[in-house]
Amino acid sequence: VEGKDLNKRIARQKISDAIIKSNVSGLMLSLTSNKNVDTEKAILTKLPDMQILAVENKLNIVSDMRKMFKQHNLPIKVFIGNINQKLYGADKDTYAHLNLDYCSNILTIAKELKYVLENKIVKQNGIIAVTIYKVIRCSKQSEKDIFGKMGVSPITFLFTR
């Protein structure tokens, strides 16, 4: 699990660096963690005009998120619902950036990503950061011995419009 945590930290840093470097401000839609706000803190420090809307559909996690935002003095608003409710139907250039840290694989979000790209709901030069988890499947016992301990590993894609 140490490797997974290190990879998450590296991914968060790359995401915040890309968003800051874009210098695009406005509304960022985010699947924000209820345990870590490093990305959001870094972005808001460098781009203070950024507005962040965190999306979560589990009320117990929403409560934890709000406490963490308050503890870190972050002006992040929370939408209680599904990310689809904010993506589908959004107009062109609605969002400055998307920070989508999914707890799933690419197949489950392919339609959403296609919609986002085809409808250009992110501003020109805005970042679409998508983090998914790839389950490592092994057929040989030797591979299972090595990779089986790893479980899942995060994979992050950064797109610019």
Side-chain angles (χ1 to χ4, degrees):
V1 180
E2 262 183 34
K4 180 180 145 189
D5 289 344
L6 175 61
N7 289 341
K8 285 295 281 182
R9 282 196 300 273
I10 292 168
R12 286 184 185 116
Q13 185 66 49
K14 287 183 178 187
I15 291 166
S16 60
D17 289 350
I19 290 172
I20 292 164
K21 187 178 177 183
S22 77
N23 206 30
V24 175
S25 284
L27 179 61
M28 180 173 92
L29 191 62
S30 183
L31 289 172
T32 304
S33 168
N34 66 324
K35 296 183 171 119
N36 187 301
V37 289
D38 291 347
T39 303
E40 292 79 4
K41 282 170 61 173
I43 292 166
L44 289 169
T45 299
K46 298 289 184 175
L47 299 172
D49 292 337
M50 186 73 68
Q51 303 158 27
I52 299 176
L53 180 61
V55 178
E56 179 56 57
N57 61 5
K58 296 180 182 134
L59 290 177
N60 60 323
I61 293 176
V62 168
S63 176
D64 292 345
M65 289 169 73
R66 286 186 170 144
K67 287 177 192 169
M68 188 170 48
F69 298 157
K70 187 174 181 177
Q71 176 186 358
H72 291 276
N73 198 29
L74 296 172
I76 299 173
K77 296 186 189 300
V78 179
F79 172 77
I80 302 170
N82 191 298
I83 192 74
N84 293 341
Q85 293 172 273
K86 290 296 179 182
L87 295 176
Y88 292 118
D91 293 328
K92 181 179 178 185
D93 297 332
T94 296
Y95 300 109
H97 309 280
L98 299 178
N99 181 18
L100 306 175
D101 189 351
Y102 287 96
C103 296
S104 60
N105 64 52
I106 193 71
L107 297 176
T108 60
I109 60 131
K111 287 180 186 174
E112 292 169 4
L113 191 53
K114 183 179 178 188
Y115 180 87
V116 165
L117 297 171
E118 286 179 350
N119 291 281
K120 300 178 181 176
I121 67 172
V122 174
K123 292 179 182 179
Q124 187 72 38
N125 298 320
I127 300 297
I128 302 166
V130 179
T131 302
I132 58 168
Y133 290 86
K134 179 184 129 193
V135 176
I136 298 171
R137 301 189 197 295
C138 309
S139 58
K140 296 178 184 173
Q141 187 59 44
S142 60
E143 293 172 332
K144 289 179 185 176
D145 291 343
I146 296 168
F147 297 113
K149 294 176 184 159
M150 298 171 77
V152 294
S153 58
I155 301 170
T156 301
F157 300 93
L158 297 174
F159 302 91
T160 303
R161 178 172 164 245

